[in-house]
């Protein structure tokens, strides 16, 4: 049995208690997202298994974009935007969810780990922005790294040179200008530590 069909059937079994009409609707929507994703992501260099797109993302790839398996880009009602400049690389890990209106710009390097959740209208950039033809802007680029299992709230901004540690949470509307330690909650403008999470209670949920 093809892997895509196995994935759809697994989701139908998971949701069978919701009633056949809702299960059928969800199954058809999921299948549609799988079928159209590779066409909508045709400008991406490497795509993992079972990508999904809801709506059509805006992709400007003058460098290299790699997207892991089981990634979902929600581009309704506003497209997700993925941009790389010449020689730049954008890597998105497995099981990542990117919400509508999010803009990710790499003029040098942006790396997003596995199972990261990114809220609506977030911005992740590795330069001060934002004319892609501005050589000085590209020369000032500093890599951004977002480690596994990070949550980034709606309308948050992650700026150049920042590393966000595993399991950290970035609050809604925050502007992250400095590194965030693992399992730390940050918020505000600029973002500051507001609390910590217990790594011993951390549960990794595999994407599907």
């Amino acid at each position: 049995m093809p892997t895509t069909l196995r994935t759809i059937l697994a989701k139908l079994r998971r949701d069978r208690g919701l009633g056949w009409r809702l299960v059928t609707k969800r199954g058809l929507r999921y299948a549609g997202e799988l079928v159209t994703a590779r066409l909508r992501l045709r400008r991406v260099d490497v795509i993992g298994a079972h990508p999904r797109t809801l709506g059509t993302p805006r992709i400007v790839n003058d460098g290299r974009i790699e997207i892991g398996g089981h990634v979902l880009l929600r581009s309704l009602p506003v497209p997700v935007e993925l941009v790389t400049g010449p020689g730049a690389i954008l890597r998105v890990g497995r099981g990542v969810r990117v919400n509508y209106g999010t803009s990710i710009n790499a003029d040098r390097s942006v790396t997003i780990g596995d199972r990261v959740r990114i809220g609506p209208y977030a911005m992740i950039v590795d330069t001060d922005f934002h004319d892609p033809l501005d050589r000085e802007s590209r020369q000032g680029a500093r890599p951004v790294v977002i480690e596994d299992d990070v949550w980034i709230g709606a309308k948050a901004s992650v700026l150049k040179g920042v590393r966000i540690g595993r399991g950290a949470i970035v609050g809604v509307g925050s502007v992250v200008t400095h590194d965030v330690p693992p399992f730390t909650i940050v918020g505000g403008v600029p973002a500051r530590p507001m609390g910590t999470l217990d790594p011993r209670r951390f549960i990794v949920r595999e994407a599907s």
Side-chain angles (χ1 to χ4, degrees), residues 95-110:
V96 173
R97 301 289 185 266
V98 183
N99 262 293
Y100 58 86
T102 289
S103 179
I104 305 174
N105 184 97
D107 276 339
R108 181 174 175 185
S109 172
V110 173

Side-chain angles (χ1 to χ4, degrees), residues 99-104 118-124 152-158:
N99 262 293
Y100 58 86
T102 289
S103 179
I104 305 174
I118 302 174
Y121 298 105
M123 182 173 70
I124 301 169
I152 297 175
K155 299 183 179 179
S157 297
V158 179

Side-chain angles (χ1 to χ4, degrees), residues 86-137:
I89 184 164
L90 167 59
R91 292 189 177 96
V92 179
R94 185 177 186 275
V96 173
R97 301 289 185 266
V98 183
N99 262 293
Y100 58 86
T102 289
S103 179
I104 305 174
N105 184 97
D107 276 339
R108 181 174 175 185
S109 172
V110 173
T111 302
I112 298 173
D114 296 342
R115 299 174 299 277
V116 172
R117 299 293 185 264
I118 302 174
Y121 298 105
M123 182 173 70
I124 301 169
V125 295
D126 66 352
T127 67
D128 290 326
F129 223 45
H130 292 108
D131 181 354
L133 300 178
D134 184 348
R135 290 187 176 181
E136 288 188 14
S137 174

Side-chain angles (χ1 to χ4, degrees), residues 7-208:
T7 303
I8 293 172
L9 292 175
K11 281 190 169 291
L12 291 175
R13 286 194 296 270
R14 183 195 67 186
D15 295 339
R16 62 182 178 272
L18 300 177
W20 70 269
R21 288 184 180 177
L22 181 57
V23 169
T24 301
K25 182 179 179 181
R26 286 189 173 186
L28 290 173
R29 185 184 69 184
Y30 182 82
E33 292 169 359
L34 288 173
V35 168
T36 60
R38 290 190 180 273
L39 176 62
R40 290 170 171 168
L41 297 173
R42 62 190 179 275
R43 294 185 179 89
V44 173
D45 298 285
V46 177
I47 306 173
H50 307 302
R52 294 162 57 201
T53 55
L54 183 58
T56 302
R58 177 177 181 265
I59 299 174
V60 179
N61 186 12
D62 293 324
R64 182 174 178 82
I65 300 177
E66 301 176 0
I67 293 179
H70 301 276
V71 166
L72 173 59
L73 305 180
R74 295 184 179 273
S75 288
L76 293 176
V78 181
V80 168
E81 181 180 62
L82 306 179
V83 179
T84 57
I89 184 164
L90 167 59
R91 292 189 177 96
V92 179
R94 185 177 186 275
V96 173
R97 301 289 185 266
V98 183
N99 262 293
Y100 58 86
T102 289
S103 179
I104 305 174
N105 184 97
D107 276 339
R108 181 174 175 185
S109 172
V110 173
T111 302
I112 298 173
D114 296 342
R115 299 174 299 277
V116 172
R117 299 293 185 264
I118 302 174
Y121 298 105
M123 182 173 70
I124 301 169
V125 295
D126 66 352
T127 67
D128 290 326
F129 223 45
H130 292 108
D131 181 354
L133 300 178
D134 184 348
R135 290 187 176 181
E136 288 188 14
S137 174
R138 294 204 304 271
Q139 289 172 354
R142 292 164 52 201
V144 170
V145 178
I146 299 172
E147 297 182 3
D148 297 347
D149 305 302
V150 169
W151 288 65
I152 297 175
K155 299 183 179 179
S157 297
V158 179
L159 304 186
K160 69 177 186 179
V162 165
R163 174 182 286 269
I164 300 180
R166 183 187 178 214
I169 296 176
V170 177
V172 172
S174 300
V175 177
V176 185
T177 58
H178 294 89
D179 291 354
V180 177
F183 303 104
T184 300
I185 303 168
V186 298
V189 182
R192 301 181 185 279
M194 302 177 67
T196 57
L197 303 169
D198 185 351
R200 295 172 299 181
R201 302 182 64 181
F202 196 77
I203 300 174
V204 174
R205 293 177 173 83
E206 286 297 326
S208 60

